[in-house]
Amino acid sequence: MAITGLIMVGFLLMHMYGNLKVFLGADAFNHYAHWLKGDILYPLVPSGTFIWIFRVFLLVAIVAHIWSAAVLTGRAHSARSSKYAVTKRLSQTYAARTMRWGGVILAGFLVFHLLQFTAQVVTTGFRAGSEPYDMVIASFSQWWVTLAYLVWVAIVCLHVRHGVWSALTTLGANTSAKARSFLNGLAWVIAIVLFVGFMIMPLAVQFGWVK
């Protein structure tokens, strides 16, 4: 679960960086989007093949992450034969307490996001087959799309903040009070960078800074 989680955090950071190319203009953003689906690793692999290899790899990571969560949850429930006599809530962050439900919500939004920009079945203000830049502008010019995206990104970042800390702890990095403090700070930095990086583009479109 730790390894697949860190793989997805790495993907989010790359995805965020790619989104920022919208500030370079339509040509740069469209070129980047088409490049992702075309010439990566060409001629080592046929044109358009890498994106499918990457999608399968990411899908396997997501399925493995969900499966790991289900297995760990099952182990936690089977480890206790009866309900706790004391139900006092432990000193946990909100993100830690809502990791499971947060993951379910994220999965639902992810499906919507893929249907929106990848499959183009859910067209939020654009026509199927539109250029990537046009899809972004049309979608985030609508306040409800930007608001839904903000909620989703906020949940993602809460999930990431706790997930990064937990993953690195699981992999043995939490070896002292100093290391614990560093890991907690690192998790917060990654979560904040992702939130700002993902939200600056839709907000720029919403307020007319990018047209």
Side-chain angles (χ1 to χ4, degrees):
M1 189 167 189
I3 292 171
T4 54
L6 291 177
I7 288 172
M8 286 185 282
V9 170
F11 165 73
L12 286 172
L13 288 168
M14 290 188 295
H15 188 23
M16 177 204 73
Y17 175 76
N19 283 358
L20 296 178
K21 287 186 176 290
V22 77
F23 293 100
L24 298 179
D27 290 341
F29 188 78
N30 289 335
H31 179 269
Y32 167 72
H34 292 308
W35 173 76
L36 287 176
K37 297 180 180 180
D39 296 333
I40 301 181
L41 295 186
Y42 176 82
L44 185 63
V45 297
S47 181
T49 302
F50 174 81
I51 189 64
W52 287 104
I53 296 174
F54 182 77
R55 284 169 175 169
V56 170
F57 172 76
L58 196 60
L59 179 61
V60 170
I62 292 172
V63 171
H65 196 71
I66 294 173
W67 177 80
S68 298
V71 170
L72 291 174
T73 299
R75 288 178 182 175
H77 287 313
S78 62
R80 67 175 189 262
S81 57
S82 60
K83 291 184 178 180
Y84 292 120
V86 179
T87 58
K88 181 180 179 181
R89 179 171 292 179
L90 298 176
S91 178
Q92 292 180 309
T93 64
Y94 178 79
R97 293 195 303 269
T98 58
M99 284 296 283
R100 292 167 188 163
W101 283 110
V104 173
I105 294 171
L106 291 183
F109 271 111
L110 177 61
V111 171
F112 174 81
H113 193 57
L114 291 174
L115 291 175
Q116 181 187 23
F117 287 129
T118 302
Q120 297 180 29
V121 174
V122 179
T123 53
T124 49
F126 60 87
R127 293 182 180 180
S130 297
E131 286 292 308
Y133 186 88
D134 296 331
M135 290 192 292
V136 166
I137 300 302
S139 296
F140 293 117
S141 293
Q142 302 180 74
W143 69 268
W144 68 270
V145 177
T146 301
L147 180 61
Y149 195 74
L150 187 150
V151 171
W152 184 46
V153 170
I155 296 173
V156 167
C157 292
L158 282 173
H159 202 81
V160 165
R161 197 227 62 86
H162 181 71
V164 168
W165 186 90
S166 295
L168 294 176
T169 296
T170 298
L171 295 176
N174 191 0
T175 57
S176 65
K178 186 176 181 180
R180 188 177 307 115
S181 178
F182 173 78
L183 294 180
N184 189 51
L186 178 64
W188 271 112
V189 168
I190 292 175
I192 292 171
V193 166
L194 284 173
F195 183 80
V196 174
F198 271 116
M199 284 311 304
I200 193 171
M201 181 264 283
L203 289 175
V205 174
Q206 180 65 215
F207 289 107
W209 302 328
V210 174
K211 300 180 180 179

